[in-house]
Amino acid sequence: MTQHQSRNTAPDPARPASESEVVGLLLAAGGGRRLGGRPKALLTHRGRPLVEHAVDVLRAGGCTRVHVVLGAEAAAVRARADLSGCVLVDNPDWAEGMGSSLRAGLESLPGTGAAAALVSLVDQPGIGPEAVARVLTAHGSRGSRGSLVAAAYDGVRGHPVLFGADHWAGIAASATGDRGARAYLKERGDTVTLVECGDVARPYDIDTEADLVHLE
């Protein structure tokens, strides 16, 4: 796996993070198998690539530093999407499922100095900056590298989800297939802070042709 810094860096992604900073980690590597092989990052939403919208959501919610994991058609995503100021992380194993992208993203974080990572998915445009901000606020009230915080929708855990730095290695080791951090979080259910976001966000996925009605 390799990292690539985009052409404009503001804020500078190479600058060490503060000890309290939360990095936004966007998983955008999917190939859209059920969408006829169209990479989800390049779907059009509000007149631009979906990956651009997702990065803006993270920044508007409070993540000044954003790492984006790319996979399917990564070169085309770089060429068509403005990801200025992001750290771009290549995941050559993207076809193995979301778990491989989560591993790639988490492995790009050690050395940044960040205290936590807030993970979001490129194919959930119904989740906006309000949900990101709520999860960040819940983490801030705990102020711990051991935090585990997740948005919830009618009490059901969803995205975005925040992992304190103390958990990165364990989550990366357990992330396989499309399960991501599911098993890791299930084992630690009593320590996960759930933040209800059902009043400000809709957690649908863009997985099939029928789901494209959610794009604007």
Side-chain angles (χ1 to χ4, degrees), residues 96-100 103 175-180:
E96 295 178 4
M98 185 178 67
S100 67
R103 288 197 308 272
T176 58
D178 280 321
R179 287 163 38 105

Side-chain angles (χ1 to χ4, degrees), residues 106-180:
L106 292 174
E107 288 168 4
S108 75
L109 298 175
T112 63
L118 183 141
V119 179
S120 67
L121 308 180
V122 75
D123 66 347
Q124 293 190 320
I127 298 177
E130 297 87 356
V132 172
R134 285 189 184 181
V135 172
L136 288 177
T137 297
H139 164 70
S141 67
R142 296 166 63 88
S144 169
R145 294 170 65 88
S147 291
L148 290 171
V149 185
Y153 302 90
D154 294 328
V156 178
R157 189 181 71 241
H159 285 86
V161 59
L162 182 145
F163 306 132
D166 291 349
H167 297 283
W168 294 347
I171 292 169
S174 67
T176 58
D178 280 321
R179 287 163 38 105

